[in-house]
Structures are given as C-alpha cells and as structure tokens.
Amino acid sequence: MGLLSKKDAKLITDPLTDNNPITIQVLGICSALAITAELKASIVMSVSVLFVLGLGNVVISLMRNIIPSKIRIIVQLIVVATLVIIVDLVLKAFAYELSKTLSVFVGLIITNCIIMGRFEAFALGNGPWKSFLDGVGNSLGYAVILIIVGFFRELLGSGTLLGIKVLGDPIEKTGLYAFGYENNGFMLLSPMALIVVGLIIWVQRSRNQALIEEN
Amino acid sequence: MEHLELFFKSIFIDNMVFATFLGMCSYLAVSKKVTTAVGLGAAVIFVLAVTVPLNWLLDQYLLQEGALAWLGSEYAEYDLSFLSFIMFIATIATMVQLVEIIVEKFSPSLYNSLGIFLPLIAVNCAILGGSLFMQSREIPSLGLALTYGVGSGIGWFLAILAIAAIREKIRYSSVPPALRGLGITFIITGLMAIGFMSFGGMLTGGDEEKKEKTTEVIVFSKLEKSTEVKKIDINEKSDTKEVAENIKEIEK
C-alpha cells in the first residue's frame, strides 16, 4: 500500500456506502434518475461523471490558491463545462446512438450537484492527489446507485440486460415468457426511478440504523 | 393558441420535476417548509423567464450552424454549437449575479425574501436544463422561448410547493423509521409523478403521440417478421412432406 495510505483508501470506500453521494448527501439526483431506464446508459453516464469529477477535482485543487473566493463559482462552472464538452464530443464521435438517448443529460453534468458539491466541500481545501481520490470515490458511489437502478429497471421493464435478452424472447414466447411472464412496462417510465431509489434508501437505512433521520 | 399550448404543456406534461427530474437537488433540499419553497420557486420562475429567451438569442445568432451569417457570407458556414454548454452556463451565472444586484437595488423587500436563494440558482439543473431543452426541442421564436421559460418555471414552482406542503403534514404520521426524511420524499415524488402522467392526454397531437406510433410500428414490424419466419417454416415442412410423398410414389 505505497500509494494508498489508510486515510486515502477511506476517501474511496466511504462514498460507496456510508457517505453515498446520492442516498446520503442527496447530490446529483437530477441526472441519476432520468437516464436509468437502460443499464448501458447508466454505465456510460457513470463513466462520464467519473472522468469529469476526477479531473475537475484535480484542476480545482491545483488552482485553489489563485481563485478569488468571490468568483469561484464561475471559475468552477467554466472548468466543468470544458470537461463536459470533451465528454460530449467524444460520445458524439464514438457512440452517437447513445449520446442521442442521453440527450441533454450529458450537458446537465455541468450542474450535477455532486460536482459542485465536491469542489466546494473538498477540492478547495485539499491537495490534488487527495482530491483525485475523493473525486473517484464519489463518482463510484454515484455509479453504484445508477447501476443498481439501471439493472432493475432494465431487467423488470424490458427483460434485457445491456440489450441481451436474459429472460427469453417475449414475441417468440421462449424462456420465462413461455410460462406467461410479462414485462412490467411501468418500470421504464420515469416515476419508477424515484420509487426504486426510495426503496434503495429504505434498504440501506434499515441495515445501518445510524443513518436514520429524525423527523 | 400556440403559446397557450406550449405554456400548459411545459407546466403539466413536461413538468421539470416529474417528467425530466430537473432541479431535484434543490427540490429535495429546500422543501422542508412552504415559505422557503415559495421563495425558491419564485426565484426559479424569474431566472428561467430571463435566461431562456436570452439563451435563445445566443443560440439563434451565435451558436447554431450558419447562425453567424449576419456577420457576412464568409462566416455563414461556422458551426459553434459545441460551445453551447459553456455559453449557456456563463450566461446563467452572469444573469443570476446581475439579477441579484438589480433586485437588491430596486426592491430590497424582494431581495430579502429571494436573496439567499439567488446564488443557489446558478447551479440548479432546472435552469440549465430549461435552456438545453429549448435548444434540443428547436423552439421557433423568441416569444415562444419566453413562454417556455415561464411555463417550466411555474411547473417547477408547483412541484416544490406541493411537496413542501406534503412534507409539513407528513411529520405527524408514523413513517417506518428507515424511510423517514429522504426515503419517503422520493416515494411521494414518484407517486406525484404518476399522477402528473395523467396530464399526458391533455393536449393531443403533441410529440408523445408520435413517439407511441413509432414504437407501435416497431413492434408490428417485429411481429410481422416472426410470422413470416413461421410461414417459411411451415412451407418448408410442407415441401419436405411433398418430397417424401413423391419419393413414395416413385418407389411404388
């Protein structure tokens, strides 16, 4: 463990569970919900956020001593916007279909509260290496929730995972469908994303009683 | 009529919170009390009404492909649309700052009620989302862009007002401990979103009907293909039967 001391490792593992950006810190929910109808889209979104947050945290942390505090929000926005433009252009070049499904939500990474939240809370007060780890940790925490939600919504909603028909063919009536199983099309609609996240929070908080909120 | 249709569509059918999940962060964070929710909601309407038309102008005369034609024919081929994120967010951040200064100068009472929320708004996804949806839906005129901005602002206002009122009441009910606070708010929002889906049929002839038609067509074409395959199978079987019968006849 030359590179990662115990403290550093904690920066990565904490956001995965007890300090998860979505379920505990309540950050970055906007984009997390809209694009989780397919597992593939949620994975791509997670990777994009990982890239933007990891690099953005390093850039902000390197500049933290020269940014005047009054205009720091604008500086942060410009840094994020530049990184997001890179992501957007890469997606348009190599995964055009997917960038159409994600539509405006790639652009909305700019105002994804996780990014601004981590800049404000961590990168402005810590060195570049720690900030990088914090960025990676938080975007992995974000990715975990996105992938769980995407997994259940795609599996129950269209019976596929990453486009592969894991439950059989609904038209040919093979696999589970031969026994009269039907896809729950409701899972593909937006309200179910909210309810699935609500249920994840429920599971997490009943396992870790310390996280329960006072009324 | 066009304006009225877009107005109601952006409030109810394409509601910022319930249909596209924009501005969820502040929606969840600032909805504990009705009074603060009203303050933030009003500020969002105001800022959306200013920034959406402004970004429409930027998009139309600076960023779109061929938008620079007014500068001269040699600029007509420029396509700066890859810059739209950075331009939109810069406009929004500056406008929010400007609005804050102006409101402070001319209406201190309004400033006192909105004041704390204005800086928050620059990083509210609903504001940037409004401009990006305006761009991707290709809203044709400045007037309609204004209508769209005001409409989606009011939609967001309604949503945060409703959830704040519910959260004030839910304090007195016995929610399972692990669901208290955030969890139950998510589930209530989901149920409200299902409710709002029923507005989908309010204006017929919109985008949604077209989408449904295309999916139906896809399903039908799949079905047709599978039936074709089956037909071919049957034909093959009958062919083999015929062949077998022929062979029998020849043997006889």
Side-chain angles (χ1 to χ4, degrees), chain A residues 22-24 26-31 33-35 70 73-74 77-78 81-82 84-85 88-89 103-108 110-114 116 153 165 171-172 186 189-195 197-199 201-203 205-206 209 212-215, chain B residues 17-26 28-29 32 82-86 89-90 93-94 97 119 122-125 128-129 132-133 136 167 170-173 175-183 186-187 189-191 193-194 197 219 222-223 226 230:
Chain A
I22 292 185
T23 59
I24 310 297
V26 206
L27 295 174
I29 294 155
C30 334
S31 57
L33 298 168
I35 45 91
K70 275 198 175 168
I73 292 203
I74 290 189
L77 284 173
I78 299 292
T82 322
V84 170
I85 288 175
D88 187 45
L89 291 179
S103 71
V104 300
F105 290 96
V106 179
L108 287 174
I110 299 173
T111 45
N112 192 324
C113 331
I114 288 192
M116 298 304 282
R153 283 184 73 192
K165 289 170 183 153
I171 297 163
E172 303 263 317
F186 203 53
L189 298 173
S190 43
M192 281 315 286
L194 284 161
I195 293 177
V197 174
L199 295 178
I201 294 173
W202 193 1
V203 171
R205 295 196 178 173
S206 29
Q209 304 281 332
I212 290 173
E213 286 176 48
E214 291 291 314
N215 245 348
Chain B
V17 175
F18 298 128
T20 48
F21 305 119
L22 295 177
M24 283 299 279
C25 309
S26 26
L28 291 170
K32 281 186 181 139
F82 69 94
L83 281 178
S84 44
F85 294 159
I86 219 165
I89 198 70
T94 350
Q97 204 87 58
V123 287
N124 187 330
C125 339
L128 182 63
L132 289 175
F133 271 124
S136 72
R167 282 182 87 169
I170 213 162
R171 219 168 290 155
Y172 305 108
S173 43
V175 179
L179 265 179
R180 259 177 225 154
L182 194 57
F186 265 100
I187 290 175
T189 312
L191 295 176
I194 295 173
M197 273 167 63
V219 171
K222 273 186 186 168
L223 279 175
S226 58
K230 277 175 189 168

Side-chain angles (χ1 to χ4, degrees), chain B residues 81-237:
Chain B
S81 51
F82 69 94
L83 281 178
S84 44
F85 294 159
I86 219 165
M87 291 295 283
F88 285 177
I89 198 70
T91 323
I92 289 167
T94 350
M95 278 319 295
V96 168
Q97 204 87 58
L98 208 65
V99 164
E100 199 182 342
I101 295 169
I102 293 173
V103 171
E104 190 182 8
K105 175 87 181 158
F106 290 104
S107 171
S109 61
L110 184 66
Y111 179 77
N112 284 335
S113 53
L114 293 187
I116 6 158
F117 299 115
L118 278 171
L120 263 182
I121 282 178
V123 287
N124 187 330
C125 339
I127 310 292
L128 182 63
S131 291
L132 289 175
F133 271 124
M134 175 272 298
Q135 192 190 29
S136 72
R137 285 177 188 162
E138 288 167 1
I139 285 177
S141 73
L142 184 62
L144 281 174
L146 178 66
T147 313
Y148 179 71
V150 175
S152 20
I154 293 177
W156 201 89
F157 177 82
L158 276 182
I160 197 170
L161 188 63
I163 194 75
I166 293 176
R167 282 182 87 169
E168 276 196 357
K169 290 284 174 205
I170 213 162
R171 219 168 290 155
Y172 305 108
S173 43
S174 63
V175 179
L179 265 179
R180 259 177 225 154
L182 194 57
I184 197 72
T185 315
F186 265 100
I187 290 175
I188 290 171
T189 312
L191 295 176
M192 284 162 78
I194 295 173
F196 263 68
M197 273 167 63
S198 57
F199 287 116
M202 194 167 69
L203 298 169
T204 46
D207 302 346
E208 295 187 10
E209 217 178 41
K210 279 179 205 162
K211 273 181 203 163
E212 279 173 11
K213 271 181 191 166
T214 53
T215 50
E216 274 173 16
V217 170
I218 293 166
V219 171
F220 277 127
S221 62
K222 273 186 186 168
L223 279 175
E224 277 169 11
K225 272 181 194 169
S226 58
T227 48
E228 271 173 20
V229 171
K230 277 175 189 168
K231 274 179 195 167
I232 293 167
D233 284 346
I234 293 164
N235 286 336
E236 278 174 6
K237 276 177 192 168

Side-chain angles (χ1 to χ4, degrees), chain A residues 23 27 30 42 46 50 58 67 72 89 111 121-122 130 137 139 142 187 189 207:
Chain A
T23 59
L27 295 174
C30 334
S42 23
S46 313
L50 179 69
V58 172
I67 302 175
R72 68 177 192 283
L89 291 179
T111 45
F122 201 90
K130 271 191 173 174
S139 35
Y142 174 80
M187 290 299 280
L189 298 173
R207 290 182 57 186

